[in-house]
Structures are given as C-alpha cells and as structure tokens.
Amino acid sequence: MSNILPRLTRSGAARPAAGIVHLGLGAFFRAFGVPAIEEAMAASGGNWGIIGVSLKTPGTRDKLAPQDFVYTAVEQAPGGERPQIHEAVQSVLVAPEDPEAVLNIMAEPKTRIVSLTVTEKGYCREPATGRLDTDRREIRHDLANPLPQSAPGFLVRALERRRRAGHPPFTVLSCDNLPENGALTRSIVLTMARAIDPDLAAWIEAQGRFPSTMVDRIVPATRPEDVERIAHLTGRLDAAPVLHEPFRQWVIEDDFVPVPGRDARPDFAAAGILMVDDVRPYELMKLRMLNGTHSALAYLGYLAGHETVYAASTDPVYETFLGMLWTAELAPSFDPPDGIDLEGYAAQLLARYKNSAIQHRTWQIAMDGSQKLPQRILAPLSDNLAAGRASPGLILVIAAWIRYVSGTDDAGADIDVRDAALDRLQAAVAASTDGTERVNALLSLSDVFDPALATEIEADVVAAYETLSANGARAAIAKILPNA
Ligand code: CS2
C-alpha cells in the first residue's frame, strides 16, 4: 500500500555545510542528536551538517540515499504520534566499502567534531577495566593497517592525517552509555596511538579534546509495521523512520578544540542542552537509575514473558521492584547532581517506562549484557558492598542475566541471546551443569566481573539463581520485595 505514496524528499531549505562526522549513525543518534543539532542551528546558525558513517553494514545508507538522507522522527506519546522531518544529515558513508573516503572526510579541516554512537562494544574495551582490548580482531587489524575497521582505529588514523596536514584535531564527542565516555575514549585512542606512533599520541594528549556526555532518550527499534503506519500518517514513504519518546536530556562537558576563526561547536545550549564542567554526577545518575533498571526489566522481564518495558513496568510486582531498586539500592549508591531530587527523577523514569505508545522490547535491551552489566549493575553493587548496604535486587539481576544467557526462559522457550561475547558465554554455559557450577562459570569471566567482586557475591548469586530456576522470575522478585 505505502509503495504508491511519494518518497520523502528534501524541502529545498538551504543546506548547512558539514561540520560533524558521526560514527555509528543508528536510530539513536537520528532520534536524539540530529534533532538537537538542528535546533541549535535554527537558533544560532553555524555549519553543522552531519556526515554519517556506518562502520559495519550498508542498510542505513541504502534506505536513506534514495530520499537524499532526509528522514522522519516520530515522537510517541500516549496522546498520539508526532512526526518531524530532519534534514541535517548530508550523506552516509559505509566504512567497509571505502575506509579511505571516511578518513578523508574526518581529516578535512571543516570537520570540527567527530561524534560517536557505536554502542558499548564499539569501543573495543574490556568491560571490567575500560582498557583497550588488544585481543580484539579489529584492534589487531587496525594496529597493523592504515585503513581501519574499528571506531578507535578510525579516530586514531584520522587524527594522524590531520596532524600530518597541520590541522588541529577534531573534538571527539562520545554519545554512548559508558561511564566517563569522553575520558574512556581518550584513553583508548591514546593507547592505540602510542602503539602506532608515540609522537602522534603526545600530540593527541596535548591538543585533543574528548568531552564526556550524558545522553538520554528512549528509542525503540523501528519495525516494518511502523514504516507502513508512518507512511500513512505523513503521506510520504520513508524507508527508515525513527521513533522516540518525548523526553530528551543531553549533558555535555564544555571542552572543545578551539578552531581559529570558526565556531568550535554548535550552540548546544540554544537547544536546551546542559553544558557543564563535569558530567559525572549526571552520568552516574542516568547509567544507574535508568540503564540499571532497564537491564533489570530486560532480564527479569524477558524470563517471565514480558515483551516490552511497558508490559514489565505495569506489572505490579515489577513496579514495586523498580521502586525498591531505586530507593534502596541505586539512589544511595552515588551522589546526585546539585539540585536534583532523585525521588522525582525516579518517578519521572517510571512514567517514561509506562508510556503506552512505546514498544521497547526487553529483548532489545537484553543484548550485550556482558558490555552493560559492569557500569549498570556491578558498579552500584560494589559501592553498596563497600558501604555495607544489602543489594538483593542487584544480585537477582545478575542471576537473571545468567539464566538469560543460559538460553531458556521461564516457560521453557529458547532465547535468541545476542552478545558481543556470545562465543565465550555459550562455551561457559556448555561446559557447566546448571546451578552453582553455571553461576561460577559465568562469574569467572574476568573481563566482565572483577575477580574480587565475583568471589564476594558468588554465594548470594547462587542462592538467587536457585530461587529463579525453581520459581521463575516473577515469584523470585516477589520473594525479595519489602513486606513480602
Ligand atoms: C537501553 C538504552 O538498550 C539499552 O541498553 O537501556 O538504550 C536506553 O534506552 C537509553 O540509554 C535511554 O537513554
């Protein structure tokens, strides 16, 4: 039906020149960063058109190219859907097809910012320590070859070209859900640069800028039926629309490479973005309160048959569990940003989860747990242990992750587990019998679980795992609820 509708096209408004190269132009950045950058340009001008780069597959480019990289972002609220067209993306390059073209555009002086949303695994870090994982195939490749494959490789090799050409570095703006994402990216880039050319590393260290950011907007994956519905809603066929909740929060450290005679960055504040000196309090709050409970709902919800965050968070047992996690285990684990009331923040999160217009699958959030647990669940857990605070909820989430990666849900159905470390997870599962041995096999993945922490929590995780296996996720939660 929708293929008889005309394809979406550019409006004919003046096109800004490109100033940003974005690595990993997936749904998240198209629903979050692109609209914000457009708002900043609308308010204060500037040439901040965006060149997207896909590091792996051509899908996004292939869908967007026939519509000249214009697309629809649809805000989903219980009252209805509100589509908006976005035109700031100028083109999309597919790195494996032409890495040289990607490096060239990154090395152009007009590129002042390289932003990234490559997901946790795209940083090629060891999750438990944040250090560059030099055993990763792409990293080994990139250390030996000038045409890279990984995000860190593209950053280092493009910076190398800029240095050679006498241009200042670009600012690297990480927009992934990682603790101190800027500092982490800097350390990964420097480790790689040192192995390639110590002088390059020294130049990046002195002149490079890697502001940390906190990014927040719920963006469910677009399904084929959404494409169809949105075409009817707008009267235009868009092969790659994105969906998002109304809420958006972006906090950025104001530390950009100065560029003589030009703006160093868009006027982010004009788009309601909070510019700060230190993003850490915001990021701890968001990674633990939001992403921590998202992962909790993902594993415990999926096991019990809850397909979406909405379904899980409107189940009274899960809703009470969320309240317990926020109040007793997550909020006490960090110092909030000045002036923020965590009770209000938690209430707002619950309302966001209960947005009935958003179909955010627990399966989507459950992906890549090996990359997500350390900052979302293990960090607050270890802060609680140090403070002598019990964390039965966080322990249960770890046990649920082990159940989840074991591959069978509470109804006995197979789970399609997706994870950057899938081979090792499956090997650990295959080599262990279910129960204590399974828990130990997974807790001994030392790139995910710090060994000292693993030893400390082992007995509790085994007990939680046994309750989960015997009773299912919903009943296991009910058992640890206050006044249960
Ligand atoms: C989610 C996040 O998939 C996940 O791991 O927890 O993508 C989450 O929706 C965003 O961080 C919200 O800002």
Side-chain angles (χ1 to χ4, degrees):
M1 238 305 247
S2 59
N3 49 13
I4 55 168
L5 292 169
R7 191 78 179 236
L8 186 62
T9 48
R10 227 167 246 281
S11 66
R15 287 171 89 127
I20 298 176
V21 172
H22 185 82
L23 306 183
L25 191 76
F28 179 74
F29 202 73
R30 292 202 287 129
F32 172 84
V34 174
I37 290 163
E38 281 179 4
E39 284 166 38
M41 283 194 285
S44 307
N47 280 309
W48 298 106
I50 299 161
I51 309 285
V53 176
S54 296
L55 289 168
K56 294 209 168 80
T57 51
T60 302
R61 189 269 323 270
D62 291 350
K63 287 181 187 150
L64 289 181
Q67 54 199 59
D68 202 8
F69 306 101
V70 174
Y71 65 89
T72 320
V74 181
E75 179 181 292
Q76 301 187 295
E81 297 196 298
R82 205 173 58 88
Q84 194 141 9
I85 309 294
H86 296 287
E87 304 205 345
V89 175
Q90 307 299 313
S91 68
V92 175
L93 303 177
V94 180
E97 285 175 7
D98 195 351
E100 181 71 32
V102 175
L103 289 174
N104 281 340
I105 184 85
M106 292 172 79
E108 273 186 28
K110 70 172 193 225
T111 301
R112 282 152 287 160
I113 296 176
V114 174
S115 48
L116 314 74
T117 45
V118 292
T119 79
E120 294 86 350
K121 61 177 173 281
Y123 291 78
C124 306
R125 88 213 203 275
E126 274 179 17
T129 61
R131 281 197 293 266
L132 180 70
D133 181 356
T134 45
D135 287 338
R136 281 276 280 265
R137 190 197 47 76
E138 311 94 286
I139 297 300
R140 279 187 278 128
H141 171 275
D142 291 0
L143 287 169
N145 294 282
L147 292 178
Q149 296 175 344
S150 70
F154 274 101
L155 293 171
V156 171
R157 296 294 180 177
L159 287 165
E160 183 179 38
R161 288 184 184 212
R162 290 177 80 101
R163 175 167 176 260
R164 229 185 288 130
H167 304 319
F170 41 70
T171 296
V172 179
L173 193 67
S174 163
C175 300
D176 281 291
N177 290 316
L178 289 163
E180 295 181 65
N181 54 13
L184 179 117
T185 312
R186 180 175 188 271
S187 114
I188 277 166
V189 163
L190 287 176
T191 305
M192 199 162 177
R194 274 185 206 115
I196 290 171
D197 172 1
D199 291 341
L200 170 65
W203 178 78
I204 298 173
E205 199 162 12
Q207 302 201 30
R209 292 291 180 276
F210 299 77
S212 287
T213 67
M214 182 270 252
V215 294
D216 188 7
R217 173 166 265 179
I218 288 168
V219 178
T222 305
R223 301 157 307 173
E225 57 265 39
D226 298 316
V227 175
E228 208 39 45
R229 191 184 65 257
I230 291 159
H232 288 289
L233 182 70
T234 61
R236 288 274 180 284
L237 176 63
D238 178 343
V242 291
L243 310 169
H244 62 82
E245 64 170 338
F247 184 91
R248 177 181 88 202
Q249 190 177 25
W250 199 354
V251 186
I252 303 179
E253 285 176 358
D254 201 359
D255 183 23
F256 286 69
V257 177
V259 189
R262 310 184 76 154
D263 294 339
R265 56 164 174 77
D267 184 2
F268 286 122
I273 295 160
L274 194 59
M275 304 302 290
V276 299
D277 292 334
D278 182 2
V279 88
R280 281 175 299 183
Y282 291 94
E283 156 224 295
L284 279 177
M285 171 173 78
K286 195 264 172 169
L287 276 173
R288 295 183 181 192
M289 301 282 282
L290 191 157
N291 298 112
T293 53
H294 246 183
S295 290
L297 292 178
Y299 301 117
L300 286 157
Y302 188 97
L303 287 172
H306 286 314
E307 253 186 65
T308 61
V309 170
Y310 172 78
S313 61
T314 49
D315 174 335
V317 168
Y318 286 74
E319 182 175 340
T320 313
F321 181 56
L322 282 171
M324 169 183 136
L325 281 175
W326 280 321
T327 312
E329 302 188 28
L330 295 169
S333 75
F334 62 93
D335 291 325
D338 284 345
I340 293 211
D341 145 43
L342 288 180
E343 231 174 275
Y345 185 80
Q348 187 182 36
L349 287 178
L350 183 63
R352 291 169 65 192
Y353 293 177
K354 290 169 113 177
N355 177 346
S356 56
I358 297 229
Q359 298 286 312
H360 199 189
R361 293 175 69 192
T362 44
W363 178 82
Q364 183 186 344
I365 300 167
M367 259 186 256
D368 286 329
S370 68
Q371 302 279 318
K372 292 174 177 172
L373 288 185
Q375 58 277 11
R376 297 179 178 202
I377 303 295
L378 307 180
L381 174 61
S382 81
D383 288 342
N384 287 348
L385 284 167
R389 232 180 341 263
S391 312
L394 296 172
I395 293 283
L396 185 62
V397 178
I398 298 170
W401 174 73
I402 297 175
R403 280 273 289 166
Y404 184 91
V405 301
S406 297
T408 313
D409 71 13
D410 289 345
D414 286 349
I415 304 176
D416 175 10
V417 180
R418 305 280 173 98
D419 197 285
L422 188 62
D423 292 353
R424 289 185 303 127
L425 298 181
Q426 285 178 338
V429 169
S432 55
T433 53
D434 197 27
T436 309
E437 214 182 289
R438 171 76 39 83
V439 170
N440 284 328
L442 284 144
L443 291 182
S444 12
L445 296 170
S446 61
D447 57 331
V448 179
F449 297 94
D450 168 75
L453 176 69
T455 310
E456 216 174 333
I457 63 177
E458 187 193 309
D460 289 344
V461 180
V462 168
Y465 187 86
E466 270 157 12
T467 313
L468 264 180
S469 311
N471 305 284
R474 194 166 188 277
I477 296 174
K479 277 184 194 288
I480 60 165
L481 293 181
N483 312 318

